[in-house]
Amino acid sequence: MKIEKEITHPIHPRHKLTLNYTEAPFNCDGCHEAGIGYNYKCHQCGFHMHKVCAVGAPTITHPFYKKCEFKLHHHPPGQAKRVCDACRTHIHGFVYHCNACDFDLHPCCASLPQVLDDGQHHLYLCHKLSSSCHGCGGKGLGWSYRSKCRTYNLHLSCVKEMLVESWQAMYFNVDKNKVREMVTTIPRLKGSMQDRRGARGAVEKCGRVAGAAARVIISAILGDPSAIVAAVVGGIISK
Ligand SMILES: [Zn+2]
Ligand SMILES: [Zn+2]
Ligand SMILES: [Zn+2]
Ligand SMILES: [Zn+2]
Ligand SMILES: [Zn+2]
């Protein structure tokens, strides 16, 4: 992926987008998922895009699907609701889709690094989980990150859930204004927060086991594995 300081993008043709860095989560106007770290932003409109959504290749391949060719679509193809095969959540905007096999990947999921480093462990991206996940206790569908020592086993879907729960926990316990502001910026969080009112199980269970690991996975899911996740995310999980 080439990193230009300034780009123009067909979904926001009126203004230039400039490379920007933020530790506060933003809502990507391409894939409509949350983001953090490096992004492309229109300063006039407050329009944001993940780096990968803005400058990702129109066609990609992925080591987990050797025969597939994934094409970037600005809208999910077809009428049916589509689910990302990596993180098992719905797709609301930009998607990498393989026409032959009907596989779908969020752009951020498609570009997750095969290896993450949380400072103590290397975490390897796995297509299928062979031992139980620390988040849900199961071996269900979807990708996960696993450490070689088997200390950490975490579904992307479970880490995403922890992220919502930790933001929700902030909402009820820490800094209500900050989280209220975040819910306004990232409408997708609102539904999940209301549905899951009071549920803090996974954060507490998983947070204790996998603090640093979870943080580095969260940054990757949010589109920038190198980002230092803001206190908003890190505070609760590290406890
Ligand atoms: Zn995006
Ligand atoms: Zn603009
Ligand atoms: Zn395919
Ligand atoms: Zn995904
Ligand atoms: Zn899980």
Side-chain angles (χ1 to χ4, degrees), residues 67-158:
K67 291 176 183 155
C68 292
E69 190 183 66
F70 289 93
K71 283 201 163 64
L72 182 65
H73 294 253
H74 288 178
H75 301 283
Q79 297 300 313
K81 273 205 165 184
R82 311 202 69 91
V83 169
C84 172
D85 287 284
C87 72
R88 311 301 300 171
T89 64
H90 282 122
I91 288 173
H92 299 270
F94 280 26
V95 57
Y96 278 109
H97 175 74
C98 171
N99 211 14
C101 316
D102 217 31
F103 286 135
D104 296 287
L105 298 172
H106 288 118
C108 288
C109 291
S111 57
L112 285 169
Q114 290 291 313
V115 185
L116 288 173
D117 186 351
D118 78 349
Q120 286 172 314
H121 300 84
H122 286 109
L123 303 166
Y124 299 87
L125 190 62
C126 310
H127 190 182
K128 290 189 179 80
L129 210 51
S130 50
S131 37
S132 311
C133 163
H134 289 119
C136 63
K139 298 179 190 174
L141 287 171
W143 299 1
S144 55
Y145 273 104
R146 185 179 70 189
S147 62
K148 218 171 216 156
C149 60
R150 304 285 160 104
T151 311
Y152 300 134
N153 257 327
L154 288 166
H155 282 120
L156 296 182
S157 53
C158 292

Coordinates of all heavy atoms in Angstrom, one line a residue, residues 67-158:
K67 N -7.5 -19.8 -3.8 CA -8.1 -19.8 -5.1 C -8.9 -18.5 -5.4 O -9.5 -18.4 -6.4 CB -8.9 -21.0 -5.4 CG -8.0 -22.3 -5.5 CD -8.9 -23.5 -5.6 CE -7.9 -24.7 -5.6 NZ -8.6 -25.9 -5.1
C68 N -9.0 -17.7 -4.4 CA -10.0 -16.5 -4.5 C -9.3 -15.3 -5.0 O -8.1 -15.0 -4.8 CB -10.6 -16.2 -3.1 SG -11.7 -17.5 -2.5
E69 N -10.1 -14.5 -5.7 CA -9.8 -13.2 -6.1 C -10.8 -12.2 -5.5 O -12.0 -12.3 -5.8 CB -9.7 -13.0 -7.6 CG -9.1 -11.8 -8.1 CD -9.1 -11.6 -9.6 OE1 -10.3 -11.5 -10.1 OE2 -8.1 -11.6 -10.2
F70 N -10.4 -11.4 -4.6 CA -11.3 -10.5 -3.9 C -11.3 -9.1 -4.6 O -10.2 -8.5 -4.8 CB -10.9 -10.3 -2.5 CG -11.1 -11.5 -1.6 CD1 -10.1 -12.5 -1.4 CD2 -12.4 -11.8 -1.0 CE1 -10.3 -13.6 -0.6 CE2 -12.6 -12.9 -0.2 CZ -11.5 -13.8 0.0
K71 N -12.5 -8.7 -5.0 CA -12.6 -7.3 -5.6 C -13.2 -6.4 -4.6 O -14.1 -6.7 -3.9 CB -13.5 -7.4 -6.8 CG -12.8 -8.0 -8.0 CD -13.5 -7.6 -9.4 CE -12.6 -7.8 -10.6 NZ -12.3 -9.2 -10.8
L72 N -12.7 -5.1 -4.6 CA -13.2 -4.1 -3.7 C -14.6 -3.6 -4.3 O -14.6 -3.1 -5.4 CB -12.2 -3.0 -3.5 CG -12.6 -1.9 -2.6 CD1 -12.8 -2.4 -1.1 CD2 -11.7 -0.7 -2.6
H73 N -15.6 -3.7 -3.5 CA -16.9 -3.1 -3.8 C -17.2 -2.0 -2.9 O -17.0 -2.1 -1.7 CB -18.0 -4.2 -3.7 CG -17.9 -5.3 -4.6 ND1 -18.8 -5.4 -5.7 CD2 -17.1 -6.4 -4.7 CE1 -18.5 -6.6 -6.4 NE2 -17.4 -7.1 -5.8
H74 N -17.8 -0.9 -3.4 CA -18.1 0.2 -2.5 C -19.4 0.0 -1.7 O -19.7 0.5 -0.7 CB -18.2 1.5 -3.3 CG -16.9 2.0 -3.7 ND1 -16.7 3.2 -4.4 CD2 -15.6 1.5 -3.5 CE1 -15.4 3.4 -4.7 NE2 -14.7 2.4 -4.1
H75 N -20.2 -1.0 -2.3 CA -21.5 -1.4 -1.6 C -21.5 -2.9 -1.6 O -21.1 -3.5 -2.6 CB -22.7 -0.8 -2.3 CG -22.7 0.7 -2.4 ND1 -23.0 1.5 -1.3 CD2 -22.4 1.5 -3.4 CE1 -22.9 2.7 -1.6 NE2 -22.5 2.8 -2.9
P76 N -22.0 -3.5 -0.5 CA -22.1 -5.0 -0.5 C -22.9 -5.4 -1.7 O -24.0 -4.9 -1.9 CB -22.8 -5.3 0.8 CG -22.7 -4.0 1.6 CD -22.6 -2.9 0.7
P77 N -22.4 -6.4 -2.5 CA -23.2 -6.9 -3.6 C -24.4 -7.7 -3.3 O -24.4 -8.3 -2.2 CB -22.2 -7.7 -4.4 CG -21.1 -8.1 -3.4 CD -21.1 -7.1 -2.3
G78 N -25.5 -7.6 -4.1 CA -26.7 -8.4 -3.8 C -27.6 -7.8 -2.8 O -27.3 -6.7 -2.2
Q79 N -28.7 -8.5 -2.6 CA -29.7 -8.0 -1.7 C -29.5 -8.5 -0.2 O -29.8 -7.8 0.7 CB -31.1 -8.5 -2.1 CG -31.5 -7.9 -3.5 CD -31.6 -6.4 -3.6 OE1 -32.2 -5.8 -2.7 NE2 -30.9 -5.8 -4.6
A80 N -29.0 -9.7 -0.1 CA -28.9 -10.3 1.3 C -27.9 -9.6 2.1 O -26.9 -9.0 1.6 CB -28.5 -11.8 1.1
K81 N -28.1 -9.6 3.4 CA -27.1 -9.0 4.4 C -25.9 -9.9 4.3 O -25.9 -11.1 4.3 CB -27.7 -9.0 5.8 CG -28.5 -7.8 6.1 CD -28.5 -7.6 7.6 CE -29.0 -6.2 7.9 NZ -28.9 -5.9 9.4
R82 N -24.7 -9.2 4.2 CA -23.5 -10.0 4.1 C -22.7 -9.9 5.4 O -22.7 -8.9 6.1 CB -22.6 -9.4 3.0 CG -23.4 -9.3 1.7 CD -22.6 -9.2 0.4 NE -22.0 -10.5 0.2 CZ -22.5 -11.5 -0.6 NH1 -23.7 -11.2 -1.2 NH2 -21.9 -12.6 -0.7
V83 N -22.0 -11.0 5.7 CA -21.2 -11.1 7.0 C -19.8 -11.3 6.6 O -19.5 -12.1 5.7 CB -21.8 -12.3 7.8 CG1 -20.8 -12.6 9.0 CG2 -23.2 -12.0 8.3
C84 N -18.9 -10.7 7.3 CA -17.5 -10.8 7.1 C -17.0 -12.2 7.5 O -17.3 -12.6 8.6 CB -16.7 -9.7 7.8 SG -14.9 -9.9 7.8
D85 N -16.3 -12.9 6.6 CA -15.8 -14.2 7.0 C -14.7 -14.2 8.0 O -14.4 -15.3 8.6 CB -15.4 -15.0 5.7 CG -16.6 -15.4 4.9 OD1 -17.3 -16.4 5.3 OD2 -16.9 -14.7 3.9
A86 N -14.1 -13.1 8.2 CA -13.0 -13.0 9.2 C -13.6 -12.7 10.6 O -13.3 -13.5 11.6 CB -12.0 -11.9 8.8
C87 N -14.4 -11.6 10.7 CA -14.8 -11.2 12.1 C -16.2 -11.5 12.4 O -16.7 -11.3 13.5 CB -14.5 -9.7 12.3 SG -15.6 -8.7 11.4
R88 N -17.0 -12.1 11.4 CA -18.3 -12.6 11.6 C -19.3 -11.5 12.0 O -20.3 -11.7 12.7 CB -18.4 -13.7 12.7 CG -17.4 -14.9 12.5 CD -17.6 -15.6 11.2 NE -18.9 -16.1 11.0 CZ -19.3 -16.7 9.8 NH1 -18.5 -16.7 8.8 NH2 -20.5 -17.2 9.7
T89 N -19.0 -10.2 11.6 CA -20.0 -9.2 11.8 C -20.5 -8.7 10.4 O -19.9 -8.9 9.4 CB -19.5 -8.0 12.6 OG1 -18.4 -7.3 11.9 CG2 -19.0 -8.4 14.0
H90 N -21.6 -8.0 10.4 CA -22.2 -7.5 9.2 C -21.4 -6.5 8.4 O -20.5 -5.8 9.0 CB -23.6 -6.9 9.5 CG -24.7 -7.9 9.7 ND1 -25.4 -7.9 10.9 CD2 -25.1 -8.9 8.9 CE1 -26.2 -8.9 10.8 NE2 -26.1 -9.6 9.7
I91 N -21.6 -6.5 7.1 CA -20.9 -5.6 6.3 C -21.8 -4.4 5.9 O -22.9 -4.7 5.5 CB -20.3 -6.3 5.1 CG1 -19.1 -7.2 5.6 CG2 -19.9 -5.3 4.0 CD1 -18.6 -8.1 4.6
H92 N -21.4 -3.2 6.1 CA -22.3 -2.0 5.9 C -21.8 -1.1 4.7 O -22.4 -0.1 4.4 CB -22.4 -1.2 7.1 CG -23.0 -2.0 8.3 ND1 -24.3 -2.1 8.5 CD2 -22.4 -2.8 9.2 CE1 -24.5 -2.8 9.6 NE2 -23.4 -3.3 10.0
G93 N -20.6 -1.4 4.2 CA -20.1 -0.5 3.2 C -19.0 -1.2 2.3 O -19.3 -2.3 1.9
F94 N -17.8 -0.6 2.2 CA -16.8 -1.2 1.4 C -16.5 -2.7 1.8 O -16.5 -3.0 3.0 CB -15.5 -0.4 1.6 CG -15.3 0.8 0.9 CD1 -16.5 1.5 0.5 CD2 -14.1 1.4 0.5 CE1 -16.4 2.7 -0.3 CE2 -14.0 2.5 -0.2 CZ -15.1 3.2 -0.6
V95 N -16.3 -3.5 0.8 CA -16.1 -4.9 1.1 C -15.2 -5.5 0.0 O -15.3 -5.2 -1.1 CB -17.4 -5.7 1.2 CG1 -18.3 -5.6 0.0 CG2 -17.2 -7.2 1.6
Y96 N -14.3 -6.4 0.4 CA -13.6 -7.3 -0.6 C -14.5 -8.5 -0.7 O -14.7 -9.3 0.2 CB -12.2 -7.6 -0.1 CG -11.2 -6.5 -0.4 CD1 -10.7 -5.7 0.7 CD2 -10.8 -6.2 -1.7 CE1 -9.8 -4.7 0.4 CE2 -9.9 -5.2 -1.9 CZ -9.4 -4.5 -0.9 OH -8.5 -3.5 -1.2
H97 N -14.9 -8.8 -2.0 CA -15.8 -9.9 -2.2 C -15.2 -10.8 -3.3 O -14.8 -10.4 -4.3 CB -17.1 -9.3 -2.7 CG -18.2 -10.3 -3.1 ND1 -18.9 -11.0 -2.2 CD2 -18.6 -10.6 -4.4 CE1 -19.7 -11.8 -2.9 NE2 -19.6 -11.6 -4.2
C98 N -15.3 -12.1 -3.1 CA -15.0 -13.1 -4.1 C -16.3 -13.6 -4.7 O -17.1 -14.3 -4.1 CB -14.2 -14.3 -3.5 SG -14.0 -15.6 -4.8
N99 N -16.4 -13.3 -6.0 CA -17.6 -13.6 -6.7 C -17.8 -15.1 -6.9 O -18.9 -15.6 -6.7 CB -17.5 -13.0 -8.1 CG -18.9 -12.6 -8.6 OD1 -19.8 -12.5 -7.8 ND2 -18.9 -12.3 -9.9
A100 N -16.7 -15.9 -7.1 CA -16.8 -17.3 -7.3 C -17.3 -18.0 -6.1 O -18.1 -19.0 -6.1 CB -15.5 -17.8 -7.8
C101 N -16.8 -17.6 -4.9 CA -17.1 -18.4 -3.7 C -18.0 -17.7 -2.7 O -18.4 -18.2 -1.7 CB -15.8 -18.7 -2.9 SG -14.5 -19.2 -4.0
D102 N -18.4 -16.4 -3.0 CA -19.2 -15.6 -2.1 C -18.6 -15.3 -0.8 O -19.3 -15.2 0.2 CB -20.6 -16.4 -1.9 CG -21.8 -15.4 -1.9 OD1 -21.7 -14.4 -2.6 OD2 -22.7 -15.7 -1.2
F103 N -17.3 -15.2 -0.7 CA -16.6 -14.8 0.5 C -16.6 -13.3 0.6 O -16.5 -12.6 -0.4 CB -15.2 -15.4 0.6 CG -15.1 -16.9 0.9 CD1 -14.3 -17.7 0.1 CD2 -15.9 -17.5 1.9 CE1 -14.2 -19.0 0.4 CE2 -15.8 -18.8 2.1 CZ -14.9 -19.6 1.4
D104 N -16.7 -12.8 1.8 CA -16.6 -11.4 2.1 C -15.6 -11.0 3.2 O -15.6 -11.7 4.2 CB -18.0 -10.9 2.5 CG -19.1 -11.0 1.5 OD1 -19.0 -10.3 0.5 OD2 -19.9 -12.0 1.6
L105 N -14.9 -10.0 3.0 CA -14.0 -9.5 4.0 C -14.1 -8.0 4.1 O -14.0 -7.3 3.1 CB -12.5 -9.9 3.6 CG -12.2 -11.4 3.5 CD1 -10.8 -11.5 3.0 CD2 -12.3 -12.1 4.9
H106 N -14.2 -7.5 5.3 CA -14.0 -6.0 5.6 C -12.6 -5.7 5.1 O -11.7 -6.4 5.3 CB -14.1 -5.7 7.1 CG -15.4 -5.8 7.7 ND1 -15.7 -6.6 8.7 CD2 -16.6 -5.0 7.5 CE1 -17.0 -6.5 9.1 NE2 -17.5 -5.5 8.3
P107 N -12.4 -4.5 4.5 CA -11.1 -4.1 4.1 C -10.1 -4.2 5.2 O -8.9 -4.7 5.0 CB -11.2 -2.7 3.6 CG -12.7 -2.6 3.1 CD -13.4 -3.5 4.1
C108 N -10.5 -3.8 6.4 CA -9.5 -3.9 7.6 C -9.2 -5.3 7.9 O -8.1 -5.7 8.3 CB -10.1 -3.2 8.8 SG -10.0 -1.4 8.6
C109 N -10.2 -6.2 7.8 CA -10.0 -7.6 8.1 C -9.1 -8.2 7.1 O -8.2 -9.0 7.4 CB -11.3 -8.3 8.3 SG -12.3 -7.8 9.7
A110 N -9.4 -7.9 5.8 CA -8.6 -8.4 4.7 C -7.1 -8.1 4.9 O -6.2 -8.8 4.4 CB -9.1 -7.9 3.4
S111 N -6.8 -6.9 5.5 CA -5.4 -6.5 5.6 C -4.8 -6.7 7.0 O -3.8 -6.2 7.3 CB -5.3 -5.1 5.1 OG -6.1 -4.3 5.9
L112 N -5.4 -7.5 7.8 CA -4.9 -7.9 9.1 C -3.5 -8.5 8.9 O -3.4 -9.5 8.1 CB -5.8 -8.8 9.9 CG -7.0 -8.2 10.5 CD1 -8.0 -9.2 11.0 CD2 -6.7 -7.2 11.6
P113 N -2.5 -8.1 9.7 CA -1.2 -8.7 9.6 C -1.2 -10.2 10.0 O -2.0 -10.6 10.9 CB -0.3 -8.0 10.5 CG -1.1 -6.8 10.9 CD -2.5 -7.1 10.7
Q114 N -0.4 -11.1 9.3 CA -0.4 -12.5 9.7 C 0.3 -12.6 11.1 O 0.0 -13.6 11.8 CB 0.5 -13.2 8.7 CG -0.2 -13.4 7.3 CD -1.4 -14.3 7.4 OE1 -1.4 -15.4 7.9 NE2 -2.5 -13.9 6.8
V115 N 1.1 -11.7 11.5 CA 1.7 -11.7 12.8 C 1.6 -10.4 13.5 O 1.9 -9.3 12.9 CB 3.2 -12.1 12.7 CG1 3.8 -12.3 14.1 CG2 3.4 -13.4 11.9
L116 N 1.2 -10.4 14.7 CA 1.2 -9.1 15.5 C 2.1 -9.3 16.7 O 2.4 -10.5 17.2 CB -0.2 -8.9 16.1 CG -1.3 -8.4 15.1 CD1 -2.6 -8.4 15.9 CD2 -1.0 -7.0 14.6
D117 N 2.7 -8.2 17.2 CA 3.6 -8.3 18.3 C 3.1 -7.5 19.5 O 3.0 -6.2 19.3 CB 5.0 -7.9 17.8 CG 6.1 -8.0 18.9 OD1 5.7 -8.4 20.1 OD2 7.2 -7.9 18.6
D118 N 2.8 -8.1 20.6 CA 2.2 -7.2 21.7 C 3.3 -6.8 22.7 O 3.1 -6.3 23.8 CB 1.1 -8.0 22.4 CG 1.6 -9.1 23.4 OD1 2.8 -9.4 23.3 OD2 0.8 -9.6 24.2
G119 N 4.6 -7.1 22.3 CA 5.7 -6.7 23.1 C 6.3 -7.9 23.9 O 7.4 -8.0 24.2
Q120 N 5.4 -8.9 24.1 CA 5.8 -10.1 24.8 C 5.6 -11.4 24.0 O 6.4 -12.3 24.1 CB 5.0 -10.3 26.1 CG 5.5 -9.3 27.2 CD 4.5 -9.4 28.4 OE1 3.3 -9.4 28.2 NE2 5.1 -9.5 29.6
H121 N 4.6 -11.3 23.2 CA 4.3 -12.5 22.4 C 4.1 -12.2 20.9 O 3.7 -11.0 20.6 CB 2.9 -13.1 22.8 CG 2.9 -13.5 24.2 ND1 2.7 -12.6 25.3 CD2 3.1 -14.7 24.8 CE1 2.7 -13.3 26.4 NE2 3.0 -14.6 26.2
H122 N 4.3 -13.1 20.1 CA 3.9 -13.0 18.7 C 2.6 -13.7 18.6 O 2.4 -14.8 19.1 CB 4.9 -13.7 17.7 CG 6.2 -12.9 17.6 ND1 7.4 -13.3 18.1 CD2 6.4 -11.7 17.0 CE1 8.3 -12.4 17.9 NE2 7.7 -11.4 17.2
L123 N 1.6 -13.0 18.0 CA 0.3 -13.5 17.8 C 0.1 -13.8 16.3 O 0.3 -12.9 15.5 CB -0.7 -12.5 18.2 CG -0.6 -12.0 19.7 CD1 -1.4 -10.7 19.9 CD2 -1.0 -13.1 20.6
Y124 N -0.3 -15.0 16.0 CA -0.4 -15.4 14.6 C -1.9 -15.5 14.2 O -2.7 -16.0 15.0 CB 0.2 -16.8 14.4 CG 1.7 -16.8 14.7 CD1 2.2 -17.0 16.0 CD2 2.6 -16.5 13.7 CE1 3.5 -16.9 16.4 CE2 4.0 -16.4 14.0 CZ 4.4 -16.6 15.3 OH 5.8 -16.6 15.6
L125 N -2.2 -15.0 13.0 CA -3.5 -15.0 12.5 C -3.9 -16.4 12.1 O -3.1 -17.0 11.3 CB -3.6 -14.0 11.3 CG -5.0 -13.7 10.8 CD1 -5.9 -13.0 11.8 CD2 -4.9 -12.8 9.6
C126 N -5.0 -16.9 12.5 CA -5.4 -18.3 12.2 C -6.8 -18.3 11.5 O -7.7 -17.6 11.9 CB -5.6 -19.2 13.4 SG -4.2 -19.1 14.5
H127 N -6.9 -19.1 10.5 CA -8.2 -19.3 9.8 C -9.2 -20.0 10.6 O -10.3 -19.6 10.7 CB -7.9 -20.0 8.5 CG -9.0 -20.0 7.5 ND1 -9.0 -20.6 6.3 CD2 -10.2 -19.4 7.6 CE1 -10.1 -20.5 5.7 NE2 -10.9 -19.7 6.4
K128 N -8.8 -21.1 11.3 CA -9.7 -21.9 12.1 C -9.0 -22.1 13.5 O -7.8 -22.3 13.5 CB -10.0 -23.2 11.5 CG -10.9 -23.1 10.3 CD -11.4 -24.5 9.8 CE -12.3 -24.3 8.6 NZ -11.5 -24.1 7.3
L129 N -9.8 -22.0 14.5 CA -9.2 -22.2 15.9 C -9.1 -23.7 16.2 O -10.1 -24.4 16.1 CB -10.2 -21.5 16.8 CG -9.6 -20.8 18.1 CD1 -8.4 -20.0 17.8 CD2 -10.6 -20.0 18.8
S130 N -8.0 -24.1 16.8 CA -7.9 -25.5 17.1 C -8.1 -25.7 18.6 O -8.5 -26.8 19.1 CB -6.5 -26.1 16.7 OG -5.5 -25.2 17.2
S131 N -7.8 -24.7 19.5 CA -8.2 -24.9 20.9 C -9.1 -23.7 21.3 O -9.2 -22.7 20.5 CB -7.0 -24.9 21.8 OG -6.0 -24.1 21.3
S132 N -9.8 -23.8 22.4 CA -10.8 -22.9 22.8 C -10.4 -21.4 22.9 O -9.3 -21.1 23.4 CB -11.5 -23.3 24.1 OG -11.8 -24.6 24.1
C133 N -11.3 -20.5 22.5 CA -11.0 -19.1 22.5 C -11.2 -18.6 24.0 O -12.1 -19.0 24.7 CB -12.0 -18.4 21.6 SG -12.2 -16.7 21.9
H134 N -10.3 -17.7 24.4 CA -10.4 -17.1 25.8 C -11.6 -16.2 25.9 O -12.0 -15.9 27.1 CB -9.1 -16.4 26.1 CG -8.0 -17.3 26.4 ND1 -6.9 -17.3 25.6 CD2 -7.9 -18.4 27.2 CE1 -6.1 -18.3 26.0 NE2 -6.6 -18.9 26.9
G135 N -12.2 -15.7 24.8 CA -13.3 -14.8 24.9 C -14.6 -15.6 25.2 O -15.3 -15.3 26.1
C136 N -14.9 -16.5 24.3 CA -16.2 -17.2 24.3 C -16.1 -18.7 24.8 O -17.1 -19.3 25.0 CB -16.8 -17.2 22.9 SG -15.8 -18.1 21.6
G137 N -14.9 -19.2 24.9 CA -14.7 -20.5 25.4 C -15.0 -21.6 24.3 O -14.9 -22.8 24.5
G138 N -15.3 -21.1 23.1 CA -15.6 -22.0 22.0 C -14.6 -22.1 20.9 O -13.5 -21.4 21.0
K139 N -14.9 -22.9 19.9 CA -14.0 -23.0 18.7 C -14.8 -22.6 17.4 O -14.5 -23.2 16.4 CB -13.5 -24.4 18.5 CG -12.6 -24.9 19.7 CD -12.2 -26.3 19.5 CE -11.5 -26.9 20.7 NZ -11.2 -28.3 20.5
G140 N -15.7 -21.7 17.6 CA -16.6 -21.3 16.5 C -15.9 -20.7 15.3 O -14.7 -20.5 15.3
L141 N -16.7 -20.4 14.3 CA -16.2 -19.9 13.0 C -15.6 -18.6 13.1 O -15.8 -17.8 14.1 CB -17.4 -19.7 12.0 CG -18.0 -21.0 11.4 CD1 -19.3 -20.7 10.7 CD2 -17.0 -21.7 10.5
G142 N -14.8 -18.2 12.2 CA -14.2 -16.9 12.1 C -12.7 -17.0 12.5 O -12.2 -18.0 13.0
W143 N -12.0 -15.9 12.0 CA -10.5 -15.9 12.3 C -10.2 -15.6 13.7 O -11.0 -15.1 14.4 CB -9.9 -14.9 11.4 CG -10.0 -15.0 9.9 CD1 -10.7 -16.0 9.3 CD2 -9.5 -14.2 8.9 NE1 -10.7 -15.8 7.9 CE2 -10.0 -14.7 7.7 CE3 -8.8 -13.0 8.9 CZ2 -9.6 -14.1 6.5 CZ3 -8.5 -12.4 7.7 CH2 -8.9 -12.9 6.5
S144 N -8.9 -15.9 14.1 CA -8.5 -15.6 15.5 C -7.0 -15.3 15.4 O -6.3 -15.5 14.4 CB -8.8 -16.8 16.3 OG -8.1 -17.9 15.8
Y145 N -6.6 -14.8 16.6 CA -5.1 -14.6 16.8 C -4.7 -15.6 17.9 O -5.4 -15.7 18.9 CB -4.8 -13.2 17.1 CG -4.5 -12.3 15.9 CD1 -5.4 -11.4 15.5 CD2 -3.3 -12.4 15.2 CE1 -5.2 -10.6 14.4 CE2 -3.1 -11.6 14.1 CZ -4.0 -10.7 13.7 OH -3.8 -9.9 12.6
R146 N -3.6 -16.3 17.7 CA -3.1 -17.2 18.7 C -1.6 -17.0 18.9 O -0.9 -16.8 18.0 CB -3.4 -18.6 18.0 CG -3.1 -19.8 19.0 CD -3.4 -21.1 18.3 NE -2.4 -21.3 17.2 CZ -2.5 -22.3 16.3 NH1 -3.6 -23.1 16.3 NH2 -1.6 -22.5 15.4
S147 N -1.2 -17.2 20.1 CA 0.2 -17.1 20.4 C 0.8 -18.5 20.3 O 0.1 -19.5 20.6 CB 0.5 -16.5 21.8 OG -0.1 -17.3 22.8
K148 N 2.0 -18.6 20.0 CA 2.6 -19.9 19.8 C 2.6 -20.8 21.1 O 2.4 -21.9 21.1 CB 4.1 -19.8 19.3 CG 4.5 -20.8 18.3 CD 5.8 -20.5 17.7 CE 5.8 -21.0 16.2 NZ 6.8 -20.3 15.4
C149 N 2.8 -20.1 22.2 CA 2.8 -20.7 23.5 C 1.4 -21.2 23.9 O 1.2 -21.7 25.0 CB 3.3 -19.8 24.6 SG 2.4 -18.3 24.7
R150 N 0.4 -20.8 23.1 CA -1.0 -21.2 23.4 C -1.6 -20.4 24.6 O -2.7 -20.8 25.1 CB -1.2 -22.7 23.6 CG -0.7 -23.6 22.5 CD -1.7 -23.6 21.3 NE -1.0 -24.0 20.1 CZ -1.2 -25.2 19.5 NH1 -2.0 -26.0 20.1 NH2 -0.6 -25.5 18.4
T151 N -0.9 -19.4 25.0 CA -1.5 -18.6 26.1 C -2.7 -17.8 25.7 O -3.6 -17.6 26.4 CB -0.4 -17.6 26.7 OG1 0.8 -18.4 26.9 CG2 -0.9 -17.0 28.0
Y152 N -2.6 -17.3 24.4 CA -3.7 -16.5 23.9 C -4.3 -17.2 22.7 O -3.6 -17.6 21.8 CB -3.1 -15.1 23.5 CG -2.5 -14.4 24.6 CD1 -1.3 -13.7 24.4 CD2 -3.1 -14.3 25.8 CE1 -0.7 -13.0 25.4 CE2 -2.5 -13.6 26.8 CZ -1.3 -12.9 26.6 OH -0.8 -12.2 27.6
N153 N -5.6 -17.2 22.7 CA -6.4 -17.7 21.7 C -7.6 -16.8 21.6 O -8.5 -16.8 22.5 CB -7.0 -19.1 22.0 CG -6.2 -20.2 21.3 OD1 -5.8 -20.0 20.2 ND2 -6.1 -21.3 22.0
L154 N -7.7 -15.9 20.6 CA -8.8 -15.0 20.6 C -9.5 -14.8 19.3 O -8.8 -14.5 18.3 CB -8.4 -13.6 21.1 CG -8.0 -13.4 22.6 CD1 -7.2 -12.1 22.8 CD2 -9.3 -13.5 23.5
H155 N -10.8 -15.1 19.2 CA -11.5 -14.8 17.9 C -11.5 -13.3 17.7 O -11.6 -12.5 18.6 CB -13.0 -15.1 18.1 CG -13.3 -16.6 18.0 ND1 -13.9 -17.2 19.0 CD2 -13.2 -17.4 16.9 CE1 -14.1 -18.5 18.6 NE2 -13.7 -18.6 17.4
L156 N -11.4 -12.9 16.4 CA -11.6 -11.5 16.1 C -12.9 -11.0 16.6 O -13.1 -9.9 17.1 CB -11.5 -11.2 14.6 CG -10.2 -11.5 13.8 CD1 -10.4 -11.2 12.4 CD2 -9.1 -10.8 14.4
S157 N -13.9 -11.9 16.4 CA -15.3 -11.5 16.8 C -15.3 -11.2 18.3 O -16.0 -10.3 18.8 CB -16.3 -12.5 16.4 OG -15.9 -13.8 16.9
C158 N -14.6 -12.0 19.1 CA -14.6 -11.8 20.5 C -13.9 -10.5 20.9 O -14.3 -9.8 21.8 CB -14.1 -13.0 21.2 SG -15.1 -14.5 21.0

